[in-house]
Structures are given as C-alpha cells and as structure tokens.
Amino acid sequence: MLTLVPHHRNEVSVARDVVRFWQRFQFDWLRVIVGFSAAFHLGTAVTLALAPYNQIYNAGTAPVYEIADRYVWAGWYLLAGVMSVVLLRRRTARVQIGWWLSTLPLGAMWWLAFVLAVWNGRGSAIGVVVWLTLYGLFAVAGFRIALGRR
C-alpha cells in the first residue's frame, strides 16, 4: 500500500529554493557592458572599413586620421571587438590584459583627438562627452571583472 506523506520543509530550505529560483533571472551587467563593447567595436570596425570616406571624416575625426589610416583604425577596432567577445567567454588574466591593451589605448587616442578638435574650435563637445562615457563604462566593467566582482 502506497501512502503519501506530506513533505514538511522548514523555512530555511524554502528560502534557499526561492533564492536559487531568482538567481536564474539575475542580470549580469558586466556581460551586458562587455557585449556592448564588442558590438560597438565590431560595428565601428566595419563602418571604418566600408563606409565612404566623406561619411567618416569630419572636423572631429581629422586629428585621428592624422595619426593613422582608416584601415589601421578598422583593424584595431576589429581586434578590440574580438577581444571583447573572447572576454565574454573567458575571464582569464591573459584575456583581460589583451582586452585592456586593445580597448584602453584605442579609446584614449580617439577621445584625445576629439578633445584636440574641440580645443582648436573644430570638433564636437558632445563627441568628447560621449566618447568619455562609453570608455568610462567599458573601464568600469573591466575593473570589476579584474577584481572578480559582479
């Protein structure tokens, strides 16, 4: 004869089950930011490589193109995008170093070029703010990943 005995659970086990349930739905903001970094860098690489030159060259970007050709920048953006994708998959020390070495100097050079253009009265002050905000978010995510935080 089979009898069904009600399963009694204490409050601690119920609380653990609720926490486990909600952990499945938690959002990993670091992955979102690094994913955005990947999309941004890969999209910029394609744009720099394929867009007509008059659509990517303006007063704000002129100082950047004095440093290197658009295809050099496209290659560097491609590298930063690929490193961002790899960082999404693996968070090893080498991958993090590669990610930092590909994104930080790239963002710094473009931001400084925008600052120089504004300083000379030719560029967009909004471009300076946007660039600083983008790479500021990427840097925060990078630091938190390096520190092992979520």
Side-chain angles (χ1 to χ4, degrees):
M1 175 172 269
L2 180 64
T3 59
L4 296 173
V5 178
H7 183 19
H8 295 285
R9 299 174 57 181
N10 62 13
E11 294 169 352
V12 174
S13 66
V14 171
R16 281 188 194 133
D17 289 343
V18 169
V19 168
R20 282 189 202 116
F21 174 78
W22 284 111
Q23 279 179 340
R24 292 187 305 172
F25 298 107
Q26 281 202 343
F27 210 65
D28 188 355
W29 281 106
L30 295 181
R31 289 182 60 80
V32 170
I33 294 171
V34 173
F36 181 74
S37 172
F40 171 75
H41 287 100
L42 293 173
T44 304
V46 170
T47 303
L48 285 171
L50 302 178
Y53 191 69
N54 62 352
Q55 290 181 355
I56 61 171
Y57 184 85
N58 58 40
T61 59
V64 172
Y65 295 122
E66 292 173 7
I67 298 170
D69 185 55
R70 70 189 265 181
Y71 298 109
V72 172
W73 291 117
W76 199 345
Y77 272 98
L78 180 64
L79 174 66
V82 168
M83 288 307 300
S84 295
V85 170
V86 172
L87 185 61
L88 283 173
R89 308 291 297 166
R90 303 182 70 214
R91 291 186 180 178
T92 64
R94 286 184 182 170
V95 170
Q96 290 179 42
I97 290 170
W99 183 78
W100 278 106
L101 291 177
S102 64
T103 57
L104 189 62
L106 178 64
M109 280 196 273
W110 276 71
W111 180 73
L112 287 173
F114 279 121
V115 168
L116 288 174
V118 169
W119 188 269
N120 292 328
R122 301 181 303 159
S124 167
I126 300 226
V128 172
V129 173
V130 169
W131 222 252
L132 185 62
T133 303
L134 281 176
Y135 280 91
L137 285 173
F138 300 159
V140 167
F143 280 125
R144 290 188 63 88
I145 289 170
L147 295 174
R149 296 185 181 157
R150 291 186 145 242

Short mmCIF file of all heavy atoms in Angstrom, two decimals, residues 1 6 10 35 51-52 61 77 80 90 93 98 103 109 121 125 131 148:
data_model
loop_
_atom_site.label_atom_id
_atom_site.label_comp_id
_atom_site.label_asym_id
_atom_site.label_seq_id
_atom_site.Cartn_x
_atom_site.Cartn_y
_atom_site.Cartn_z
N MET A 1 0.83 -1.15 0.00
CA MET A 1 0.00 0.00 0.00
C MET A 1 0.89 1.24 0.00
O MET A 1 1.84 1.34 0.75
CB MET A 1 -0.89 -0.04 1.23
CG MET A 1 -1.70 1.20 1.37
SD MET A 1 -2.89 1.04 2.67
CE MET A 1 -4.24 0.44 1.76
N PRO A 6 2.86 14.01 3.44
CA PRO A 6 3.23 15.39 3.05
C PRO A 6 4.67 15.70 3.47
O PRO A 6 5.10 15.31 4.54
CB PRO A 6 2.24 16.27 3.80
CG PRO A 6 1.52 15.39 4.75
CD PRO A 6 1.80 13.97 4.41
N ASN A 10 11.31 23.18 6.14
CA ASN A 10 11.48 24.28 7.07
C ASN A 10 11.69 25.58 6.30
O ASN A 10 11.86 25.59 5.08
CB ASN A 10 12.62 24.00 8.05
CG ASN A 10 13.96 23.87 7.34
OD1 ASN A 10 14.07 24.21 6.18
ND2 ASN A 10 14.95 23.39 8.05
N GLY A 35 29.47 42.95 -23.78
CA GLY A 35 28.79 42.64 -25.04
C GLY A 35 28.55 43.90 -25.86
O GLY A 35 28.71 43.91 -27.09
N ALA A 51 32.54 52.26 -45.03
CA ALA A 51 31.79 53.50 -45.30
C ALA A 51 32.59 54.42 -46.23
O ALA A 51 33.83 54.41 -46.20
CB ALA A 51 31.48 54.22 -44.00
N PRO A 52 31.90 55.21 -47.03
CA PRO A 52 32.61 56.21 -47.84
C PRO A 52 33.39 57.16 -46.94
O PRO A 52 32.95 57.51 -45.85
CB PRO A 52 31.49 56.94 -48.58
CG PRO A 52 30.33 56.00 -48.55
CD PRO A 52 30.46 55.21 -47.30
N THR A 61 37.03 64.01 -36.36
CA THR A 61 37.87 62.83 -36.58
C THR A 61 39.16 63.13 -37.34
O THR A 61 40.02 62.26 -37.45
CB THR A 61 37.09 61.75 -37.36
OG1 THR A 61 36.67 62.28 -38.62
CG2 THR A 61 35.89 61.26 -36.58
N TYR A 77 40.02 48.41 -34.18
CA TYR A 77 38.66 48.22 -33.67
C TYR A 77 38.23 46.76 -33.78
O TYR A 77 37.55 46.23 -32.90
CB TYR A 77 37.66 49.12 -34.40
CG TYR A 77 37.54 50.48 -33.78
CD1 TYR A 77 38.24 51.57 -34.28
CD2 TYR A 77 36.72 50.67 -32.67
CE1 TYR A 77 38.12 52.82 -33.71
CE2 TYR A 77 36.60 51.92 -32.09
CZ TYR A 77 37.31 52.98 -32.61
OH TYR A 77 37.20 54.22 -32.02
N ALA A 80 39.85 44.96 -30.92
CA ALA A 80 39.17 45.26 -29.65
C ALA A 80 37.82 44.55 -29.58
O ALA A 80 37.43 44.05 -28.52
CB ALA A 80 38.99 46.76 -29.50
N ARG A 90 35.75 33.93 -21.78
CA ARG A 90 36.81 33.52 -20.85
C ARG A 90 37.31 34.75 -20.10
O ARG A 90 37.67 35.74 -20.72
CB ARG A 90 37.97 32.90 -21.62
CG ARG A 90 37.56 31.71 -22.47
CD ARG A 90 38.71 31.08 -23.18
NE ARG A 90 39.56 30.42 -22.19
CZ ARG A 90 40.87 30.33 -22.27
NH1 ARG A 90 41.48 30.85 -23.29
NH2 ARG A 90 41.56 29.71 -21.35
N ALA A 93 43.41 35.91 -16.93
CA ALA A 93 44.27 37.10 -16.81
C ALA A 93 44.80 37.53 -18.18
O ALA A 93 44.84 38.73 -18.49
CB ALA A 93 45.42 36.82 -15.86
N GLY A 98 44.84 41.37 -22.69
CA GLY A 98 44.64 41.63 -24.12
C GLY A 98 43.49 42.59 -24.37
O GLY A 98 43.57 43.46 -25.24
N THR A 103 41.55 47.91 -25.98
CA THR A 103 40.48 48.91 -25.87
C THR A 103 40.94 50.23 -25.24
O THR A 103 40.55 51.30 -25.73
CB THR A 103 39.28 48.37 -25.05
OG1 THR A 103 39.73 47.97 -23.77
CG2 THR A 103 38.61 47.24 -25.76
N MET A 109 43.08 57.40 -27.45
CA MET A 109 43.53 58.17 -28.62
C MET A 109 42.37 58.87 -29.31
O MET A 109 42.48 60.03 -29.70
CB MET A 109 44.27 57.26 -29.59
CG MET A 109 45.71 57.02 -29.15
SD MET A 109 46.72 56.36 -30.44
CE MET A 109 46.41 54.64 -30.22
N GLY A 121 38.62 74.42 -31.82
CA GLY A 121 37.40 75.04 -32.33
C GLY A 121 36.78 74.34 -33.52
O GLY A 121 35.93 74.91 -34.20
N ALA A 125 31.85 69.05 -28.95
CA ALA A 125 31.99 68.86 -27.50
C ALA A 125 31.16 67.67 -27.03
O ALA A 125 31.54 66.97 -26.09
CB ALA A 125 31.56 70.12 -26.77
N TRP A 131 32.32 59.91 -26.00
CA TRP A 131 33.48 59.02 -26.01
C TRP A 131 33.94 58.70 -24.59
O TRP A 131 34.24 57.56 -24.28
CB TRP A 131 34.60 59.65 -26.82
CG TRP A 131 35.29 58.66 -27.69
CD1 TRP A 131 36.53 58.16 -27.52
CD2 TRP A 131 34.76 58.03 -28.85
NE1 TRP A 131 36.81 57.25 -28.50
CE2 TRP A 131 35.74 57.16 -29.33
CE3 TRP A 131 33.56 58.11 -29.53
CZ2 TRP A 131 35.56 56.37 -30.47
CZ3 TRP A 131 33.38 57.33 -30.65
CH2 TRP A 131 34.36 56.48 -31.11
N GLY A 148 37.15 40.52 -9.90
CA GLY A 148 36.35 39.32 -9.65
C GLY A 148 34.98 39.62 -9.07
O GLY A 148 34.38 38.77 -8.44
#
